[in-house]
Amino acid sequence: MEEILNIKNLSVNIHAPGGTVHAVRDVSFELYPGEVLAIVGESGCGKSMLCKAIMKLLPKSAKVEGGQIFANGVDITHYSQKDMEKLRGKLFSYVFQDPMTALNPTIPIGKQIGEAVLVHEPKLPKAQVYERVIELMELVGIQRPRERYHLYPYNFSGGMRQRSVMAIALASNPRILLADEPTTALDVTIQAQILDLLKKIQVQLGTATILVSHDLGVVASAADRVAIMYAGKIVEIGTAEEVYYDPRHPYTWGLMQSLPALNKGNAELKTIPGMPPTLVEPPVGDAFACRNQYALEIDYHQQPPMFRISDTHYAATWLLDPRAPKITPPIGGKRNA
Amino acid sequence: MPETLLDVEHLSHVFRLSKHAHIRAVDDVSFQLHRGEILGLVGESGSGKSTVARCLMNIYQPTAGVIRYQGVNILDRREFARNRKMLETRRQIIFQDSASSLNQRMKVADIIAEPMHIHHIKPPRGSLREEAAYQLKYVGMDASYLDQYPSELSGGQRQRVAIARALSMEPELLVADEPIASLDVSIQAQIVNLFKHCNQEHGFSILFIAHDLAMVEFLCHRVGVMYRGRMVELAPTAELFGDPRHAYTKALLSAIPYPDPVIQKNRPRVDFEELEFDREGAFTEVTPGHFVLQEDRR
Amino acid sequence: MGLTDQELFTPVGIRQIPEKPAGKQRWHHGFPWISAALMTIIVACCMGAELLMTKDPTFMDLQNCSVAPNAEFLFGTDTLGRDIFSGIWYGGRISITIGVLATVISTMIAVVYGAVSGVGPVWLDTLMMRFTEIFLSVPSLLIVLFLQAIWGEANMLSLSVAIGVTGWAGIAKVIRTEVRQIRSSEYVLASRCMGGRFFHVLRKHLAPNFLASIMFMVIMNVRTAISAESTLSFMGMGLPLEIVSWGSMLSLAEKALLTQSWWIILIPGGFLVTLLMCITNMGNYLRKAANRKESNL
Amino acid sequence: MMKQNLLLYWGKKALVFLVSVMVLSVAVFYISRLAPGDPLMSYYGERTEKMSVEEKEAAREKLGLNDPIHVQYVRWLQNALKGDFGISYKYKQDVTEVIGSRIGNTLILGGIGFVLTFLGALGLGILCAWHEDKWPDQLLCKGGTLLSCIPEFWLSLVMILVFSVTLQWLPSSGAYDVGHKHDILNRAEHLILPLTVVVLEHLWYYAYMIRNKLLEETRADYVLLGKAKGLSKKKILLGHCLRNSLPSYISLMAISVPHVLGGTYIVEKVFSYPGIGTLSFESAQYHDYNLLMVLCMLTGIVVILGNLIGGIINERIDPRIKAAEVTETSEVTWD
C-alpha cells in the first residue's frame, strides 16, 4: 500500500537558554492509510515535538534541523506557514492533550466547529455550515447537538470538550489524525469512551491515526502498529502483536516490566534504574546504555542502527547484532486474561 | 484483629461556593485504617478523595463526622491541642509532585530537615545535615543532592525528597495524596516500590490516594472506591478486583486499559450512567470486610 | 577504536556516566550593564555631592543670573543665579532620598495591607481589594495635591509621606495575590501539617517567596516617586524654591522659557530622565528574569 | 437573563453609585474642614486679619462655622442638592459658574486625547503583538520605555522650548488667542502641543497593556488548535486573541478615564490652558475650599463612574466571567 506520510531522518532541536536540546534525533517511519500508529514514550522523549514538527506547529525556539517529511508523496519539509495553512485540517488534524484549555473560552462550541468547516470551504452558505456542524457533533457523540450548538466550553465536561476538539479536527475530513495524548487529562471511564470514539471514527472514516501516549494500556486498545521512543529516537517499531508479545529492545522490556498489570504476584515491581538523559548533550553511544543491565561495551561507543527482525518489526539495539551474545527476553509471549 | 490506627466515621465536608451553591465534596464517608496496612483510595477527579486526605491532616475542618487517630478525636480542638506534638510528628502527608510541592527557595537539606527544625528534635545522627543525608540515602539518592534546589531535580527525585522529609519524623501514618500521578511509568514503579518497602520493612501505615487502579491493585491491601463524595465500595484488594459489587466499581474496573493488544481489544466494557447513581444509599457490609453502597430500600 | 569485536560485544551492564551539571542560566544574561553603571555613577555623585560641588548650590549670585554653561559655571546658572552643576548633585540627593523614603513608606503599608488581605477571610479580602481598585483608579497626583493643599508648606518628610501613602496600592495587590497563592501551595500545607506555626511559615516560606516577586514593583515605585516629586515641585505644590531638588530647579522653567535659557530646563530634566530610565531598565530585567512561556502563534 | 433580574441588576448598580457618591462627599467635606488655616480666610481674604474678634465671631455665626460639623455637612448637602455649591473666593463667583466656563476646554482636550490614546494604543499593541520580538516590536518597546520615563511636565516644557520658543511654529499657551474664541483653526492650533503630550504620555502604557494581553492569549492552547485547523495568523490574532482581550482592555480604559484626565491637569497647567486642571491647582494653592470641594467631587464621580462602567463591561461581555457564575450556581450542586 502507498504510504500517506513518510518521515525520513527527522531531527528537531530546541534552542533553550540552558543549551540546545536535541528533542527528536534522526527519526524515520511511514504511516499507511487507515492504520493506527502509536508512539509510546516517557515525558521528554520527544514524541510530542515529533508530531508538532510534522504539522509545523513547533514553537519558535524549536527548529527542524534535518530530514524530510513527505505527505501524500509530496515533500513538505520546506513549506511555509502559508502553504501549511492549506494542508492543516484538510490533510492532517491535531487533537491536543488538554481539552480544558484547547478551546477558546469566549466562543460558542458550534461556532468554533463551524470555523473549522469554513476554513477549507469559505463560500459554504450558512445553513449548510450549520448542518455540517450538527453532523460532526453527532459523529463524535455529542447528544442533542442543536441545543448544545450555542453553548460555551465552560458548559461542557472534560470528555465533552475532547469530543468537540475531535469534531473540529474532523471538520474537513482529514486523511491523517494526530492525537497527542488525547486521554491523559481525562478520568479512566471517560478515557475508555474517547478511545472507543477514536476507534469508531477510524473504522467509519478510514482516517490514518498517529496516537501519542505514555500508557501501554491505552495503546494496546487502539494501535495497529507501535513505535517506542526513547531520548528522541525510535528504538523499536512493529505491529502491536510484535511489540507486545515479542519485544526486542531492553527499554521496551523495562517499560513492560514496570507495569503492575504484568507484575501480578511479584513482591516488587521491576524498575528501570536511573533517569532518562537530558538531551542537551546526548550521550555518545546508545542513550539507554547507562540504564540497561544488558548493555554491551559497544553501547557506550557507538549508536546502534535499526536491526530488521521481520518486514514490519525493527529495533535499535546492539543485542540484535549477530556478534552479540544471545539473551532471552525477560518478558513477552501471549498471556491469558 | 489488627489494631485500628485511624477511625473515620460519617465524615462529611461541604464547600460553600456562594450563597446558593455548595458542594458536598465528602459525604458520609466511614472507614478504618489498621496499623501496618496500605489502604488505597481511588476515584475520578473531583470525587473527594483529596478532601478526605486533607481532613485527616487537619487542613480542612470537616462539616460533620468524627476522625479518631489512636483514639484521639483530632477534630476536637482541646483533644487536638493536648496531643498536638504527637499528631504532628506521627502523621505525615505527601502531595502530588507539582511546582508548589516543595519550596523552590530552599535547598534539599533544609527541606528534609524542616520538620526536625520545627520540633527542635535532636538529630540522632549528629547534625541536621547528616540526618538529611541519611534520609536521602534511604530513599535512594546520594548526599551530593543536599545542596541542590528543587528546580534542579527531576519529578521522581522531588517526590523522593518529599518522602524523605516525611520519613525523617519516623511517622506511623503516611497520607500520600496522588504521589505518582505526574510521574513517568518507570519512575512510578520506583516510587511504588519505595512505598512498599517502607510498609514492609518499617511497618508504616499508608493511605494511598491514586487514580491509577493498576498501581493500587499492586500496592494496597484494601481499596476504597469513591464517587461524587461518597464511598461506594470498600473491600480487600483481591475481593474488590475479583468481585466488584457496585455498578460504578464495575465500570471503573472495566475501563482500566490492559497492556495487551489482543486481550484489551476484546474486553467488554461496562458503562455507568450518572443518573443511575443513588447517593442516598446505605453503606453496608455484604460479606465480612466488603462494604458496598446499597440502594436505600426504605 | 582499538577494541576488537569480541571486546565490543562483551556484556558490561550499567555503567555510571558522570552526570554533567545541568546548564544553569547565568544570572547576568541580559543584565542591563549600562543602566546599572550609569545609575551607580549618578547615585554615587549625588551622595558625595559635597566633593563635587564647585559653588554653594543655594547661593543666589544675582550678578550671574541665567548664565549659559561656561568654564566657571559648568552647567550655567538658573534665573536666580544659582550654579546648576552644584545643584544637580545636591538636589539629586534630595530627589533620590524622597524617592527611596516614599517607597519605603509605600512598601511598608503595602506589606501590611496585602498580607492582611491575603490571610484574612474572603469578605475582608473582597472589601479590601475593591478599595484598592478604586484607590488605584484615582490619579495619585491629585491625591498628593489634595494632601499638600491641606498640610500647607511642604518639607522633605511631608512630601515623602504624601507620595508614599498614595503609591502603595499596586504593590499591595501583588503581595495579596502572592500571599493567597503561596498560602494554598502544598509546601505551606505540608509545613503546617508538620506543626509549623504562623511565624515559621512566614519566615521560611512566605517572606522569601513574595519578596522576590515584589522587587520589580518596589523598584518601579522608586521611579514613580522621584517622578512625582519633580512634578509636584515643578507645580509649586512640592518643595519650595529654597530647598534645591531636581523638581524645584525645574520650577524656574517658565521664566527660563522667556529668556530661552535651555540649560535650565534640559540639564536637570536630562538627569532626571536618565536616572528614571536606568531604574526602569533594572526593573524590567528583574521582571524578565521570571521565565516566559513561548508563543503558540 | 430575565427582565426582572435585569431591572434588579441595574438597580443595584445605581444604588452602588449613589452610595459611593455620598460616602465620597462626606469624606471630602470632613477632610477639607480638618485642613489648617481659618476658613474665614477663604470668604473674606486679607480682610480677615483686620477684623476684630467680635466681627470674626459674627462672621462665623453667619456662615454657620460654629455649628457641629455634621450640621454643616447637612446644610452643604441641602444647598448642593439645590445646585448651590457656594462662592469661589478667588473668582468671587458661583462655583458652578467658574467650573462651567472651564469644563468645556478640559473635555475637548481630555476627550480627544482619550479617543486618540484608545485607538492608537489598540493599533500599536496589535502591531507589536504581530511582530513579537522582531524590530518593529523592539523599537516600539524601547521608545515606549523612554517615553514612560519622561514626566509629563518636562515633555511639555521641551515641546514648548522646541516648537514655540525656538522654531516659533505653534503657540505655547492658552486655548485660543484673545478675540478668537470661536475660531476653530485657532483653537486647533493651540490644541496641537498639549494634545501631543497627553497622547504620548499615555499611549505607550495602554499599547503595552494590549500587547501583553494579546501575547498572553497567543500562549493559550486554543491558538495551537486554531492553527491546527488551518486558520491564518491574522484570523487567530484578530478573531480569537483580540476578541478575548478586548473586554478587559475596554474595561481598563473605562477605569482609566480619570488617569487621562489627571494627565491633562498637569499639561493644562504647563500650557496655561484654561481648564479644570489649572483651576484645581489654583484652588489648592489659594485654599479656595468651596471650589476645591466641588472639583474633588467631580473627579471622584468620574472615578466611580469609570469603575462601574468598567465592571459592567467586564461582567456583561466576557463569557468567562459568566462561566465563573455558572459553575458556581448550577453545575456543581449535586444535591
Side-chain angles (χ1 to χ4, degrees):
Chain A
M1 218 192 309
E2 194 64 26
E3 74 264 5
I4 191 166
L5 186 70
N6 193 348
I7 310 292
K8 280 190 178 152
N9 308 98
L10 189 73
S11 295
V12 177
N13 289 356
I14 303 169
H15 302 278
T20 302
V21 181
H22 301 265
V24 177
R25 306 187 295 151
D26 194 19
V27 164
S28 307
F29 67 87
E30 303 90 43
L31 181 72
Y32 298 96
E35 73 164 345
V36 179
L37 171 69
I39 300 179
V40 185
E42 294 176 273
S43 57
C45 74
K47 52 193 194 299
S48 196
M49 280 293 155
L50 173 63
C51 289
K52 288 190 173 141
I54 294 171
M55 277 185 74
K56 288 200 194 297
L57 293 173
L58 290 171
K60 280 189 190 118
S61 62
K63 291 254 151 40
V64 173
E65 300 284 321
Q68 285 168 303
I69 305 166
F70 292 91
N72 247 344
V74 184
D75 184 358
I76 61 163
T77 322
H78 301 290
Y79 267 34
S80 69
Q81 288 290 332
K82 266 250 145 348
D83 297 327
M84 289 305 287
E85 275 162 22
K86 293 185 196 105
L87 297 184
R88 291 182 192 139
K90 189 122 191 106
L91 178 65
F92 34 41
S93 277
Y94 210 106
V95 175
F96 293 91
Q97 172 172 351
D98 191 354
M100 303 315 267
T101 57
L103 293 164
N104 188 337
T106 66
I107 302 180
I109 294 277
K111 227 184 138 197
Q112 293 194 54
I113 302 173
E115 211 178 28
V117 174
L118 278 169
V119 170
H120 294 286
E121 283 169 283
K123 299 216 169 62
L124 208 64
K126 259 190 170 171
Q128 283 186 37
V129 174
Y130 179 77
E131 285 311 316
R132 173 86 182 120
V133 170
I134 300 298
E135 195 183 305
L136 281 165
M137 287 169 86
E138 273 164 358
L139 174 71
V140 296
I142 298 176
Q143 276 140 24
R144 288 176 282 128
R146 276 168 217 279
E147 283 168 45
R148 291 185 162 151
Y149 183 92
H150 297 286
L151 293 183
Y152 288 93
Y154 62 80
N155 298 114
F156 278 37
S157 65
M160 278 305 202
R161 290 189 204 197
Q162 195 62 302
R163 287 175 195 271
S164 313
V165 172
M166 290 186 51
I168 289 173
L170 298 170
S172 302
N173 283 322
R175 302 199 53 199
I176 308 168
L177 189 67
L178 292 102
D180 185 359
E181 304 256 13
T183 61
T184 307
L186 304 172
D187 289 316
V188 195
T189 44
I190 311 294
Q191 163 171 295
Q193 292 169 11
I194 296 289
L195 285 174
D196 285 350
L197 176 62
L198 260 178
K199 278 185 276 183
K200 186 190 112 187
I201 285 166
Q202 205 250 331
V203 172
Q204 211 169 322
L205 307 179
T207 319
T209 307
I210 296 182
L211 172 70
V212 174
S213 182
H214 66 277
D215 188 332
L216 282 166
V218 167
V219 168
S221 59
D224 299 317
R225 284 200 301 143
V226 178
I228 311 275
M229 257 184 108
Y230 183 77
K233 301 188 79 141
I234 288 185
V235 294
E236 183 161 2
I237 185 166
T239 63
E241 280 80 9
E242 281 167 337
V243 173
Y244 278 85
Y245 301 137
D246 183 23
R248 295 302 183 96
H249 197 281
Y251 177 64
T252 318
W253 297 343
L255 269 187
M256 299 240 183
Q257 281 179 302
S258 61
L259 291 177
L262 305 182
N263 260 292
K264 275 187 190 147
N266 294 0
E268 276 204 334
L269 295 173
K270 290 270 179 8
T271 62
I272 308 175
M275 289 180 304
T278 57
L279 292 175
V280 177
E281 282 174 67
V284 192
D286 184 355
F288 188 60
C290 57
R291 300 175 72 186
N292 179 5
Q293 62 180 106
Y294 307 102
L296 308 174
E297 180 66 34
I298 191 170
D299 279 322
Y300 293 96
H301 302 286
Q302 209 180 329
Q303 291 192 16
M306 271 288 188
F307 287 95
R308 181 181 168 280
I309 300 147
S310 73
D311 277 347
T312 49
H313 194 186
Y314 293 83
T317 168
W318 283 114
L319 291 177
L320 293 171
D321 192 280
R323 293 164 290 184
K326 288 278 159 286
I327 282 165
T328 330
I331 197 156
K334 290 219 181 201
R335 282 167 289 260
N336 299 318
Chain B
M1 193 71 189
E3 182 195 347
T4 300
L5 190 65
L6 187 70
D7 186 8
V8 179
E9 280 171 27
H10 306 292
L11 184 72
S12 294
H13 189 55
V14 176
F15 285 114
R16 288 194 72 89
L17 294 175
S18 67
K19 259 178 274 171
H20 313 291
H22 55 268
I23 308 178
R24 285 203 243 161
V26 177
D27 188 5
D28 194 16
V29 164
S30 305
F31 64 90
Q32 275 100 37
L33 179 70
H34 307 305
R35 186 182 285 281
E37 91 168 331
I38 306 179
L39 176 66
L41 215 51
V42 296
E44 61 191 37
S45 52
S47 62
K49 49 197 199 302
S50 283
T51 312
V52 170
R54 289 176 183 218
C55 289
L56 295 184
M57 295 305 291
N58 286 98
I59 296 171
Y60 296 149
Q61 182 71 25
T63 330
V66 180
I67 302 173
R68 282 203 190 78
Y69 180 81
Q70 290 193 321
V72 176
N73 181 358
I74 63 166
L75 299 180
D76 184 281
R77 275 171 203 281
R78 282 167 65 200
E79 265 191 74
F80 175 77
R82 219 177 300 135
N83 297 288
R84 184 163 192 152
K85 185 154 183 165
M86 183 275 281
L87 290 169
E88 280 165 356
T89 53
R90 294 277 152 247
R91 296 177 309 174
Q92 295 292 330
I93 187 163
I94 295 161
F95 292 102
Q96 181 178 348
D97 171 60
S98 69
S100 75
S101 62
L102 300 174
N103 188 345
Q104 300 291 319
R105 291 176 188 282
M106 279 165 87
K107 287 180 180 172
V108 167
D110 298 324
I111 291 172
I112 297 178
E114 193 188 341
M116 287 180 279
H117 180 86
I118 290 173
H119 290 286
H120 308 289
I121 289 171
K122 206 174 159 290
R125 272 159 284 269
S127 66
L128 284 175
R129 196 182 159 80
E130 272 168 49
E131 183 66 30
Y134 173 83
Q135 295 297 345
L136 206 55
K137 198 170 168 56
Y138 182 83
V139 296
M141 285 164 74
D142 61 63
S144 64
Y145 288 103
L146 279 178
D147 289 314
Q148 294 203 304
Y149 288 94
S151 58
E152 296 162 7
L153 305 177
S154 70
Q157 287 172 330
R158 278 198 296 271
Q159 207 53 287
R160 284 168 195 268
V161 170
I163 295 173
R165 173 175 65 186
L167 294 187
S168 70
M169 301 308 290
E170 292 174 8
E172 286 166 334
L173 173 67
L174 213 52
V175 175
D177 187 3
E178 300 259 16
I180 56 168
S182 55
L183 303 176
D184 277 321
V185 183
S186 65
I187 309 295
Q188 281 186 0
Q190 295 173 3
I191 300 292
V192 164
N193 277 346
L194 185 58
F195 276 118
K196 195 149 195 169
H197 181 79
C198 289
N199 172 256
Q200 282 173 348
E201 303 298 315
H202 302 272
F204 294 147
S205 315
I206 301 173
L207 181 71
F208 186 81
I209 295 168
H211 60 254
D212 183 342
L213 282 121
M215 280 297 179
V216 168
E217 183 185 10
F218 178 81
L219 179 69
C220 302
H221 301 123
R222 287 194 305 145
V223 181
V225 181
M226 286 189 72
Y227 183 69
R228 299 214 150 175
R230 290 229 61 173
M231 180 89 86
V232 296
E233 193 157 357
L234 173 70
T237 307
E239 205 173 321
L240 186 102
F241 281 80
D243 180 24
R245 299 289 181 90
H246 195 274
Y248 176 69
T249 316
K250 286 178 191 164
L252 194 62
L253 292 182
S254 81
I256 318 172
Y258 190 78
D260 184 307
V262 173
I263 298 173
Q264 173 64 17
K265 277 173 190 160
N266 298 315
R267 218 154 58 111
R269 210 161 56 70
V270 186
D271 268 325
F272 180 68
E273 279 300 318
E274 277 177 36
L275 300 173
E276 289 171 21
F277 182 58
D278 170 28
R279 60 180 308 127
E280 301 304 332
F283 199 53
T284 37
E285 193 164 9
V286 285
T287 59
H290 193 149
F291 297 84
V292 182
L293 185 70
Q294 283 188 329
E295 266 178 54
D296 210 1
R297 294 194 186 86
R298 266 173 298 190
Chain C
M1 257 187 299
L3 295 169
T4 62
D5 271 3
Q6 202 185 347
E7 281 167 324
L8 276 175
F9 286 93
T10 320
V12 288
I14 293 165
R15 192 184 282 171
Q16 286 299 325
I17 294 178
E19 236 180 277
K20 293 183 197 90
K24 278 184 209 167
Q25 203 176 341
R26 286 153 297 159
W27 68 276
H28 52 78
H29 180 82
F31 186 79
W33 289 107
I34 300 174
S35 297
L38 259 179
M39 193 172 88
T40 319
I41 292 170
I42 293 177
V43 173
C45 287
C46 289
M47 292 305 129
E50 276 78 7
L51 303 172
L52 285 167
M53 290 187 319
T54 51
K55 305 268 176 189
D56 178 356
T58 54
F59 175 66
M60 300 184 195
D61 187 351
L62 294 176
Q63 260 101 54
N64 288 306
C65 290
S66 306
V67 175
N70 60 26
E72 194 191 349
F73 303 102
L74 287 172
F75 290 166
T77 61
D78 63 16
T79 50
L80 296 173
R82 297 180 299 186
D83 180 33
I84 294 183
F85 180 77
S86 309
I88 288 287
W89 310 121
Y90 185 79
R93 180 155 64 191
I94 291 179
S95 288
I96 294 170
T97 313
I98 291 179
V100 172
L101 209 61
T103 303
V104 170
I105 295 169
S106 297
T107 311
M108 283 191 320
I109 300 176
V111 168
V112 174
Y113 191 95
V116 170
S117 181
V119 177
V122 178
W123 64 266
L124 185 67
D125 178 48
T126 320
L127 198 74
M128 285 174 92
M129 280 303 116
R130 190 85 200 107
F131 177 70
T132 0
E133 266 156 36
I134 290 179
F135 192 87
L136 266 176
S137 68
V138 181
S140 51
L141 218 60
L142 291 189
I143 305 178
V144 182
L145 210 77
F146 191 70
L147 286 177
Q148 285 292 327
I150 291 165
W151 288 348
E153 186 83 329
N155 56 40
M156 246 174 78
L157 194 68
S158 78
L159 192 59
S160 304
V161 172
I163 298 173
V165 295
T166 52
W168 52 269
I171 310 178
K173 248 177 114 164
V174 174
I175 291 179
R176 174 256 175 197
T177 315
E178 285 291 318
V179 168
R180 286 250 155 215
Q181 203 178 355
I182 300 170
R183 209 169 68 111
S184 59
S185 72
E186 283 158 354
Y187 59 83
V188 169
L189 287 184
S191 186
R192 277 172 51 207
C193 288
M194 289 181 293
R197 303 296 145 89
F198 179 73
F199 281 104
H200 172 86
V201 173
L202 183 73
R203 197 161 46 89
K204 282 266 178 185
H205 300 298
L206 281 177
N209 277 296
F210 81 63
L211 279 184
S213 55
I214 64 166
M215 270 320 280
F216 163 75
M217 298 293 291
V218 170
I219 284 184
M220 286 310 195
N221 198 280
V222 177
R223 183 189 95 160
T224 320
I226 292 178
S227 179
E229 183 274 330
S230 67
T231 306
L232 283 169
S233 300
F234 167 79
M235 296 286 177
M237 305 300 301
L239 296 175
L241 259 183
E242 306 86 73
I243 305 178
V244 181
S245 79
W246 288 348
S248 66
M249 286 166 86
L250 283 168
S251 65
L252 295 171
E254 269 164 5
K255 280 180 203 136
L257 279 175
L258 298 176
T259 55
Q260 297 206 21
S261 317
W262 55 267
W263 56 91
I264 300 177
I265 298 170
L266 292 190
I267 291 177
F271 271 88
L272 178 69
V273 172
T274 310
L275 182 67
L276 295 183
M277 190 75 195
C278 294
I279 296 175
T280 311
N281 281 339
M282 300 284 288
N284 279 339
Y285 165 70
L286 275 182
R287 182 164 56 171
K288 271 182 198 147
N291 51 349
R292 225 175 108 191
K293 240 185 111 185
E294 256 192 290
S295 173
N296 284 331
L297 197 64
Chain D
M1 211 182 269
M2 301 281 286
K3 205 172 172 191
Q4 207 173 1
N5 282 348
L6 214 62
L7 209 68
L8 200 72
Y9 178 84
W10 290 107
K12 250 187 199 167
K13 295 284 168 195
L15 196 71
V16 169
F17 175 73
L18 284 179
V19 170
S20 308
V21 172
M22 284 299 289
V23 172
L24 177 78
S25 69
V26 173
V28 174
F29 192 86
Y30 272 68
I31 294 172
S32 69
R33 288 300 182 273
L34 288 176
D38 197 336
L40 280 185
M41 283 284 282
S42 51
Y43 289 94
Y44 299 102
E46 319 273 274
R47 262 196 301 147
T48 331
E49 280 156 39
K50 294 182 197 118
M51 284 176 167
S52 68
V53 182
E54 290 79 30
E55 275 177 313
K56 276 188 186 175
E57 197 48 46
R60 276 177 198 282
E61 199 59 46
K62 192 179 131 206
L63 291 170
L65 293 174
N66 284 339
D67 296 332
I69 200 156
H70 61 268
V71 177
Q72 291 186 43
Y73 173 73
V74 170
R75 189 157 48 221
W76 180 86
L77 190 67
Q78 278 169 348
N79 289 334
L81 287 176
K82 283 180 230 148
D84 175 14
F85 292 94
I87 293 171
S88 158
Y89 152 65
K90 194 185 169 233
Y91 291 91
K92 309 277 188 281
Q93 257 180 321
D94 249 23
V95 166
T96 35
E97 272 174 51
V98 179
I99 293 175
S101 67
R102 307 286 194 95
I103 202 160
N105 289 336
T106 297
L107 284 181
I108 290 175
L109 178 61
I112 299 179
F114 185 80
V115 172
L116 285 181
T117 310
F118 182 84
L119 295 177
L122 201 59
L124 279 182
I126 295 171
L127 186 74
C128 284
W130 183 272
H131 296 285
E132 189 194 351
D133 287 339
K134 305 221 183 71
W135 68 265
D137 181 34
Q138 284 185 340
L139 193 76
L140 282 167
C141 283
K142 287 257 155 50
T145 317
L146 179 66
L147 267 180
S148 72
C149 289
I150 302 177
E152 273 152 324
F153 77 93
W154 195 69
L155 185 64
S156 311
L157 286 175
V158 174
M159 288 281 191
I160 295 174
L161 189 67
V162 174
F163 294 104
S164 301
V165 178
T166 312
L167 298 171
Q168 305 208 324
W169 286 354
L170 293 163
S172 69
S173 69
Y176 42 83
D177 288 326
V178 183
H180 289 81
K181 194 172 177 182
H182 302 290
D183 181 350
I184 293 182
L185 270 181
N186 186 277
R187 277 193 168 235
E189 207 178 39
H190 281 83
L191 259 180
I192 293 176
L193 282 184
L195 204 56
T196 312
V197 176
V198 169
V199 172
L200 278 185
E201 276 295 328
H202 292 95
L203 182 64
W204 180 245
Y205 176 78
Y206 298 105
Y208 198 65
M209 201 66 97
I210 190 97
R211 169 191 182 268
N212 287 352
K213 275 249 177 306
L214 279 176
L215 290 186
E216 203 180 292
E217 290 290 331
T218 62
R219 277 145 183 80
D221 281 353
Y222 68 77
V223 170
L224 219 49
L225 182 72
K227 246 175 122 175
K229 62 181 165 181
L231 293 182
S232 62
K233 184 176 175 182
K234 195 170 117 196
K235 270 223 172 103
I236 296 175
L237 194 70
L238 300 182
H240 284 253
C241 298
L242 189 65
R243 183 198 167 103
N244 287 6
S245 344
L246 263 187
S248 55
Y249 177 63
I250 294 174
S251 77
L252 174 80
M253 285 307 289
I255 295 173
S256 303
V257 171
H259 273 274
V260 178
L261 283 182
T264 57
Y265 285 12
I266 293 163
V267 175
E268 277 181 17
K269 162 88 174 149
V270 184
F271 287 96
S272 314
Y273 186 88
I276 301 284
T278 326
L279 207 60
S280 307
F281 289 110
E282 281 173 2
S283 65
Q285 246 166 349
Y286 296 104
H287 300 273
D288 194 343
Y289 286 120
N290 277 343
L291 189 55
L292 187 63
M293 171 102 193
V294 177
L295 288 172
C296 282
M297 287 288 300
L298 263 183
T299 317
I301 289 174
V302 173
V303 168
I304 295 168
L305 265 182
N307 266 294
L308 261 178
I309 295 172
I312 291 169
I313 291 171
N314 242 338
E315 281 165 30
R316 302 199 66 87
I317 295 190
D318 197 336
R320 278 170 292 189
I321 305 243
K322 278 189 229 147
E325 280 169 24
V326 166
T327 36
E328 269 190 22
T329 48
S330 60
E331 266 205 341
V332 284
T333 34
W334 297 323
D335 35 9

